Amino acid sequence: MTQITINIEPAEHARLRRLAAYAGLGRPEVLLERLLDHTDQAITRPGAWERDWLAQVVGPGPLAACDEQTAE
């Protein structure tokens, strides 16, 4: 498993902590892991509901590029 480190502002951390708590996930790290899992599903599963969600964030072009690389 690869580990990454990100730096966020205290206010951002507080919002993630609240969201994670309200979602029953406990810690912000668990919330971020869940978001990364859904991001991966958007990339690897062309019919996944997450694709529309991710396309709103990165645009449809990057997803299409991932599809082309997967097909090679």
Side-chain angles (χ1 to χ4, degrees), residues 7-24:
N7 296 311
I8 61 174
E9 296 293 330
E12 294 169 326
H13 186 262
R15 286 190 294 272
L16 289 173
R17 191 174 60 243
R18 279 194 308 273
L19 183 58
Y22 289 131

Side-chain angles (χ1 to χ4, degrees), residues 36-51:
L36 289 171
D37 177 59
H38 284 289
T39 300
D40 185 59
Q41 290 181 48
I43 295 168
T44 58
R45 295 179 42 223
W49 67 264
E50 293 94 344
R51 285 185 76 84

